[in-house]
Amino acid sequence: MAADTRRESDVSRESDSGRGSTAGGSTGGTESHSLGPVPLPAASRFRPLLGLLVPAALVVVWHLFVATGVFAAHQLPAPLRVAETLYGMAASGELWGHVAITLQRVVLGAGLGIVVGILFGTATGLSRTASDLLDPLLQSLKNIPSLAWVPLFLLWFGIGETAKVLLIAVGAFFPVYLNLSTGIAAVDEELLEVAEVYDLGRVESLRRVVFPAALPDLLVGIRGGVGLAWMFVVAAELIAASQGIGFLLSDGRTLARPDIIVGSILLFAFLGNCSDVAVKEVRDRVVGR
């Protein structure tokens, strides 16, 4: 009977010990879980904000230069003064009319330049004869400054919208033409041989082999063309225009309003950057970057 009592006591102690170790393990697991490292937000979420650091720093430097008298108010207005001017024009509705007409000109001109650039780039990229005939002339025309075209376009097309849109199209044309022509000419010969093996026709080879291979170059050209379209619209609107951001820039010079001049420049920079980001996003999605 004494032996039975000792065995029951041992079993009871082992059971208590097991429950204790289980509870301790559970507590320890809970403590280790609660004291684990807290995950930090992914750094990639903040990467788009990096592009704002330098502009913000430049605004601070700009304000310091004006506040300390490095630049007089009639040479460079304070950032707050420029913001107030743009806000006042936006509140009155005047600014939106200028922005809308400039956007319209850029869209029409860039679209026309891109289409013509694709046609000429395809022709010179596919045909060595077409390249020998056209490329020297187009390379020469590419080096003509935007303002040099203005008097000629005014003589040919007058002071209406046609001259402005065509001038912008000239700017958008050259990057598209050069990049697409180079991209098509550089298509891998093995890809063309594959098209011949599968007995693809001329049009089908272009659609399924040549253009997909040259698409990254074309998108780079479009990005450059849109950027040049914004540069050429300034030349188009500085002369013989009554609306647009370029006209606003010229009007600020006439009225001796540096706040309007700087505000117009900042509008060009902002809108141009927005269009560049949009084209870059399309390029990254299409080429899978």
Side-chain angles (χ1 to χ4, degrees), residues 138-163:
L138 294 176
Q139 292 289 352
S140 300
L141 295 177
K142 174 177 67 70
N143 298 314
I144 299 177
S146 59
L147 287 175
W149 290 101
V150 173
L152 187 62
F153 276 48
L154 289 177
L155 286 174
W156 286 354
F157 308 108
I159 62 174
E161 288 298 306
T162 301

Side-chain angles (χ1 to χ4, degrees), residues 22-37:
T22 301
S26 174
T27 303
T30 303
E31 290 177 355
S32 64
H33 177 72
S34 62
L35 297 178

Side-chain angles (χ1 to χ4, degrees), residues 261-275:
I261 295 174
V262 175
S264 301
I265 294 173
L266 292 178
L267 281 175
F268 275 123
F270 175 74
L271 294 174
N273 183 67
C274 288
S275 62

Side-chain angles (χ1 to χ4, degrees), residues 89-123:
M89 296 178 67
S92 67
E94 178 186 0
L95 182 63
W96 305 121
H98 293 298
V99 171
I101 193 66
T102 296
L103 285 174
Q104 175 182 313
R105 289 166 179 160
V106 169
V107 170
L108 293 176
L112 178 60
I114 289 169
V115 170
V116 178
I118 290 174
L119 294 177
F120 276 81
T122 301

Side-chain angles (χ1 to χ4, degrees), residues 48-256:
L49 299 179
L50 292 178
L52 299 177
L53 292 179
V54 174
L58 289 177
V59 171
V60 172
V61 173
W62 171 11
H63 173 75
L64 292 176
F65 278 170
V66 176
T68 55
V70 176
F71 289 100
H74 68 276
Q75 293 177 320
L76 184 66
L80 184 59
R81 173 61 179 164
V82 175
E84 290 174 348
T85 299
L86 292 177
Y87 177 78
M89 296 178 67
S92 67
E94 178 186 0
L95 182 63
W96 305 121
H98 293 298
V99 171
I101 193 66
T102 296
L103 285 174
Q104 175 182 313
R105 289 166 179 160
V106 169
V107 170
L108 293 176
L112 178 60
I114 289 169
V115 170
V116 178
I118 290 174
L119 294 177
F120 276 81
T122 301
T124 55
L126 293 175
S127 172
R128 181 64 180 271
T129 302
S131 179
D132 292 339
L133 286 172
L134 297 174
D135 193 63
L137 173 63
L138 294 176
Q139 292 289 352
S140 300
L141 295 177
K142 174 177 67 70
N143 298 314
I144 299 177
S146 59
L147 287 175
W149 290 101
V150 173
L152 187 62
F153 276 48
L154 289 177
L155 286 174
W156 286 354
F157 308 108
I159 62 174
E161 288 298 306
T162 301
K164 299 176 180 61
V165 171
L166 290 178
L167 183 60
I168 297 167
V170 169
F173 165 81
F174 289 106
V176 177
Y177 159 73
L178 292 172
N179 281 274
L180 181 58
S181 179
T182 303
I184 291 177
V187 172
D188 195 340
E189 291 292 336
E190 294 183 356
L191 292 176
L192 300 178
E193 292 175 0
V194 170
E196 292 180 0
V197 168
Y198 283 94
D199 197 22
L200 297 179
R202 183 73 167 175
V203 176
E204 197 68 11
S205 296
L206 289 175
R207 188 177 69 86
R208 301 182 63 178
V209 177
V210 176
F211 280 128
L215 185 59
D217 297 281
L218 173 60
L219 292 172
V220 171
I222 291 175
R223 186 180 181 189
V226 172
L228 274 182
W230 281 103
M231 297 178 67
F232 272 63
V233 76
V234 178
E237 293 183 342
L238 281 177
I239 299 177
S242 58
Q243 272 188 309
I245 303 176
F247 166 77
L248 198 63
L249 180 68
S250 179
D251 196 45
R253 179 193 61 187
T254 303
L255 299 175

